[in-house]
Amino acid sequence: MSRILIVAEHLDGKLNPATARCVSCAQAIGGEIHVAVLAEAPEAVAAEAAKIAGVAKVLTVANAANAKPVAQVLAPQVAALAKDYSHVLGPSTTFGKDLMPCVAALLGLAQVSDVMAVEGPHTFKRPIYAGNAIITVEAPAGMTVVATVRTASWPAAGEGGDATVEAAAVEVALPAHTRYLGLQQGKSDRPDLQSAGKVVSGGRALGSADNFKLIYSLADRLGAAVGASRAAVDAGYVPNELQVGQTGKIIAPELYIAVGISGAIQHLTGIKDAGTIVAINKDPEAPIFEVADYGLVGDLFQILPELEKAL
């Protein structure tokens, strides 16, 4: 039977929802599921992880060096834990994409990236070519599988679990060549873009950062998160943490509203798992209409005020 270890993502003492999505992937693989929480004081995060349905055990690794998520510091500790497991999973988020390749390298293994479906304990489906094709990959049998999970393709596992929490002793030399300097991130009262059920995104057609207030206003009325195309980010309308797409965030909201976004394949890669896609664009030939469930052709500067008034 498989023994699966999931590396928990957390920040400021709170568990990231991506961890529960990794649990769903682990359940598809089948086997005993453990979650590792590496932190300076992991107790609060471990308590959250223990409540996820399907988790049998939570391992805590308490170390002052783990106060900040530095991949080069965390990786040797995860690699040390991995010897007891057939699979080691992490979310395909900024955190996971940074950490898991380091873990795979220390173990001398090739990583399986962006697992979106499980065909067997060592057989997985993942997107390639910006999501234009899906490839089936098979990891060598008898070797540990190190993988990142495409969180947009998996629902979050529910609560109701009652896993045991156990402290793990990890004796490894930690490198000192990488130092944590700081974290710069936008502060917002709006829902988190990566886990929100509703998202309103704006594109280059907004024309300016000031005009992007139309997107914020509509999102606030809907209780939605705010996203943006790469073109809008590159133009300086919004910070890059709002970027949706292949080089931004891969999301799967129940409702995605694309305003003034043409629909380049790199952007569509980031929203392909959305439940309902609504597109507003003045160009009737815009590629976004090919994937939209509902499309409205018109001037966004007229449509958005009318839509908000109707809401």
Side-chain angles (χ1 to χ4, degrees), residues 4-23 33-52 55 57-61 66-71 74-75 77-78 81 87-97 99-100 103 147 149 151 165:
I4 305 166
L5 181 67
I6 297 170
V7 183
E9 178 175 354
H10 57 91
L11 185 65
D12 297 332
K14 294 184 178 180
L15 188 68
N16 189 293
T19 304
R21 294 177 182 269
C22 288
V23 172
I33 302 170
H34 295 180
V35 174
V37 179
L38 291 82
E40 182 177 24
E43 293 78 15
V45 176
E48 283 190 71
K51 296 177 182 178
I52 301 175
V55 176
K57 183 185 292 184
V58 177
L59 300 177
T60 60
V61 181
N66 297 338
K68 303 298 180 182
V70 178
L74 300 181
Q77 300 172 75
V78 176
L81 294 172
H87 298 71
V88 183
L89 307 180
S92 190
T93 58
T94 302
F95 168 80
K97 290 177 181 178
L99 171 62
M100 300 310 289
V103 174
V149 176
T151 53
V165 179

Side-chain angles (χ1 to χ4, degrees), residues 241-282:
E241 61 258 26
L242 297 187
Q243 183 177 321
V244 173
Q246 183 181 8
T247 53
K249 289 183 170 65
I250 308 296
I251 60 176
E254 297 173 11
L255 172 65
Y256 185 76
I257 302 178
V259 181
I261 295 175
S262 62
I265 185 60
Q266 291 86 354
H267 186 79
L268 299 183
T269 297
I271 62 170
K272 65 187 307 254
D273 294 307
T276 299
I277 299 174
V278 177
I280 299 172
N281 200 297
K282 68 179 181 180

Side-chain angles (χ1 to χ4, degrees), residues 198-206 212 214-215 218-219 222 224-229 244 251 253 255-264 267-268 270-271 274 276-283 286-300 303-304 307:
K198 292 174 282 188
V199 176
V200 180
S201 281
R204 182 164 45 193
L206 271 297
F212 219 87
L214 291 169
I215 301 297
L218 178 60
L222 291 169
V226 172
S229 67
V244 173
I251 60 176
L255 172 65
Y256 185 76
I257 302 178
V259 181
I261 295 175
S262 62
H267 186 79
L268 299 183
I271 62 170
T276 299
I277 299 174
V278 177
I280 299 172
N281 200 297
K282 68 179 181 180
D283 178 9
I288 190 72
F289 288 122
E290 296 179 12
V291 300
D293 298 286
Y294 299 94
L296 183 56
V297 178
D299 185 343
L300 67 89
I303 290 172
L304 290 192
L307 178 57

